[in-house]
Amino acid sequence: MPKTSPFRLSLMFLLLILLLTTAVFAAPDSQAEPVEPTAQQQTLEASVNDLFRQTAEAQQPDYTQTVQALFESALTATADAPTPAAEITPQPVDVSGLEVVETTEIDLFAGPGRTSAYLAPNGEYFAWFGPVDNDAGICIYTIAGENTGCVPFSENYDSSSVRWSPDSTKLVFAQDFLRMFIDSDIWMFDVETLSVTNITDDGLEDTNFLTGKEDDPASPPIDLVPMWGADSQSVYFLRYLVDDEADRNRPDLYRLDLAMGEMEIVHSFVTLSPFGIYRGDISPDGHWLAYTVDTQDRKTMNVRLLDLETNEDRLLTPFAVSDERPFQIDYLQFSADSLYVLTRDPVLLSRGMPLQPEDPVSRVFDLDGNEFLIDPERSVIGAGWLATGASLVYQVMDADDPGEGAMYVTGEPGEPGRLLLAGRYLPPTTRQEQILSGSNNTLLMTARGGSPLIVLRLASE
């Protein structure tokens, strides 16, 4: 080995100490609890001990060679170490300068009939449910309109139940029991493999509760309301048993661990009416379940909150039973900061009732049940949270001209909104419940009158 100068030897020794300290002892917080060394760290430590042992046992120890060997070993080990992927988190949006900076039309329709489009949380692509090769199917499109693949799927699905996983890799949805009276299981679509899997399969997918016979075997369980856990590795859902009439008022909340394939009951409910719970959402922090519940006469629906850590269950919304103003909720969604719940009540639109700013279609409540008018001056008919905090976009309708309206954005419920875009825009789903946005501040919409899909990109000018 070539002779090494004292200066170079000293420099190499200092660099060696730095490399070993970084690889073996570095911690994000000096007060953090000790952690188990990684395989890389164990390899470095073993190399240090082994080289110094060999040097000490040599007849003519040469610690210069030892330090140089350690230096080269450390360089090799740290070069081979994989660099952890940076965690991508949405950045807070300053809505005071937020504008629509780009509008793109995609030659694809969603909303009318049985077609729907669902924007992924990352805002890079969307799932489209519709006709594929003369059959029903699911396709993935980029927001530029490129079709990256389709898979046939002919089951009757509940378009209101479709939910993306927080990491944008999968969707879950239920079959449409509430309209078709068929056995409903929970299905999962994998974006990478373009596969659809029944994840609560009971082997009785073709059971129809309207055409069943008295001598049929026991009815299968009805699985509804799929919801993702915050880790994207677990799916929650409701299961109803139907053979005993009382069971139809006692759904169980299950949690399915996708990696282990194991299910557990998290909570058991008692409702006032059969199948009284059929909409829900889990907060992004994984702490809360918000769910809808019918009154006994089904004239009014309320929202309740379940604490998934303590099992405490309480009423959130104060809607009273009324023949003049019944409340129905077909969608609810937590804000990104888990502090608010957005609800949508379609009764005003479906019955042609008067629209007033103080009685909107879309409402927001904090976790104490206080209501915040999204816009106290305009009639809000649709809304959706942005990817950070409690910012949201919302659609208003002109009460004098229902065909006209505008889209607004606000930094928090109760704060004055800013005009984003004039016109009447709609969510691209069959029942047009919610406005979904991506973490890149992209919106996927359609326009009134059956226009193609429209991608709106928001940014601060």
Side-chain angles (χ1 to χ4, degrees):
M1 176 178 288
K3 190 173 181 178
T4 305
S5 69
F7 175 76
R8 186 165 183 259
L9 175 62
S10 300
L11 181 59
M12 287 167 56
F13 186 79
L14 289 173
L15 287 172
L16 171 65
I17 296 300
L18 178 60
L19 284 167
L20 293 177
T21 302
T22 302
V24 180
F25 301 109
D29 187 347
S30 60
Q31 302 299 318
E33 293 293 326
V35 296
E36 290 295 321
T38 66
Q40 201 106 32
Q41 294 166 351
Q42 292 172 348
T43 301
L44 275 173
E45 187 173 1
S47 297
V48 172
N49 293 335
D50 188 54
L51 281 168
F52 274 108
R53 179 184 56 78
Q54 294 178 28
T55 303
E57 292 174 353
Q59 291 182 353
Q60 294 181 335
D62 187 343
Y63 284 96
T64 299
Q65 294 184 12
T66 300
V67 170
Q68 187 160 350
L70 282 171
F71 179 73
E72 292 170 357
S73 176
L75 285 177
T76 301
T78 53
D80 291 339
T83 302
E87 183 177 353
I88 301 174
T89 55
Q91 295 301 310
V93 178
D94 179 10
V95 301
S96 63
L98 207 60
E99 305 285 349
V100 177
V101 296
E102 185 179 357
T103 302
T104 305
E105 278 197 4
I106 298 176
D107 189 19
L108 193 67
F109 290 84
R114 293 290 291 171
T115 60
S116 290
Y118 304 88
L119 183 67
N122 62 15
E124 297 295 332
Y125 42 82
F126 61 90
W128 183 80
F129 288 63
V132 176
D133 296 331
N134 299 319
D135 198 358
I138 306 171
C139 299
I140 295 296
Y141 286 85
T142 68
I143 56 171
E146 179 187 358
N147 184 332
T148 63
C150 299
V151 61
F153 185 77
S154 57
E155 302 288 342
N156 287 296
Y157 77 101
D158 177 3
S159 63
S160 297
S161 72
V162 179
R163 295 290 184 273
W164 274 101
S165 59
D167 63 5
S168 300
T169 63
K170 299 175 178 66
L171 296 100
V172 289
F173 50 90
Q175 288 163 273
D176 200 354
F177 167 78
L178 296 173
R179 291 196 320 123
M180 309 300 293
F181 296 100
I182 54 175
D183 169 35
S184 175
D185 294 328
I186 306 302
W187 295 75
M188 183 173 71
F189 172 74
D190 188 301
V191 174
E192 182 177 356
T193 62
L194 291 176
S195 59
V196 186
T197 306
N198 185 336
I199 59 175
T200 64
D201 191 0
D202 51 32
L204 298 170
E205 289 86 355
D206 295 330
T207 301
N208 187 309
F209 292 89
L210 294 180
T211 60
K213 301 177 182 179
E214 292 184 2
D215 58 354
D216 282 348
S219 300
I222 305 301
D223 298 332
L224 303 172
V225 199
M227 300 164 286
W228 285 98
D231 59 0
S232 296
Q233 302 303 312
S234 55
V235 175
Y236 292 79
F237 65 94
L238 288 180
R239 170 165 287 180
Y240 286 89
L241 302 178
V242 297
D243 283 330
D244 186 336
E245 187 172 344
D247 286 339
R248 303 170 194 176
N249 294 57
R250 295 196 296 258
D252 291 320
L253 176 67
Y254 278 79
R255 177 184 176 274
L256 170 61
D257 185 315
L258 294 176
M260 302 298 294
E262 298 176 349
M263 293 191 297
E264 62 175 344
I265 295 179
V266 176
H267 188 77
S268 296
F269 300 94
V270 177
T271 64
L272 296 175
S273 59
F275 306 105
I277 303 174
Y278 47 88
R279 293 288 178 260
D281 190 38
I282 289 179
S283 59
D285 63 9
H287 191 136
W288 302 98
L289 164 66
Y291 65 95
T292 61
V293 59
D294 268 332
T295 56
Q296 194 163 10
D297 57 10
R298 293 188 180 274
K299 289 183 178 179
T300 290
M301 187 180 291
N302 271 296
V303 178
R304 298 187 66 89
L305 271 184
L306 174 67
D307 188 322
L308 293 172
E309 297 179 3
T310 67
N311 258 1
E312 177 190 359
D313 191 319
R314 57 186 171 87
L315 184 69
L316 181 69
T317 56
F319 302 142
V321 176
S322 169
D323 290 329
E324 296 181 358
R325 177 60 172 96
F327 288 90
Q328 298 294 320
I329 301 169
D330 65 356
Y331 180 78
L332 67 166
Q333 181 191 24
F334 275 96
S335 57
D337 60 11
S338 301
L339 298 180
Y340 298 91
V341 177
L342 170 68
T343 69
R344 179 182 183 271
D345 173 16
V347 167
L348 294 174
L349 296 175
S350 62
R351 299 193 180 186
M353 300 174 72
L355 291 173
Q356 303 294 335
E358 64 274 10
D359 188 13
V361 173
S362 296
R363 297 171 177 264
V364 170
F365 298 86
D366 67 15
L367 301 190
D368 292 323
N370 302 306
E371 182 174 3
F372 294 80
L373 285 177
I374 297 174
D375 192 325
E377 299 179 357
R378 304 173 183 88
S379 300
V380 179
I381 61 170
W385 301 107
L386 292 178
T388 56
S391 303
L392 53 77
V393 292
Y394 61 94
Q395 176 73 42
V396 303
M397 187 172 79
D398 188 332
D400 297 324
D401 186 356
E404 297 299 322
M407 188 179 296
Y408 287 77
V409 63
T410 180
E412 193 172 356
E415 292 185 358
R418 291 182 58 256
L419 178 66
L420 279 178
L421 202 62
R424 178 84 181 273
Y425 293 89
L426 303 169
T429 56
T430 301
R431 300 174 190 172
Q432 301 173 334
E433 303 95 336
Q434 74 277 19
I435 298 174
L436 293 180
S437 66
S439 58
N440 58 356
N441 296 322
T442 294
L443 306 177
L444 184 66
M445 307 292 292
T446 186
R448 192 168 183 265
S451 78
L453 286 173
I454 302 170
V455 177
L456 304 176
R457 189 169 69 85
L458 311 181
S460 296
E461 288 282 11

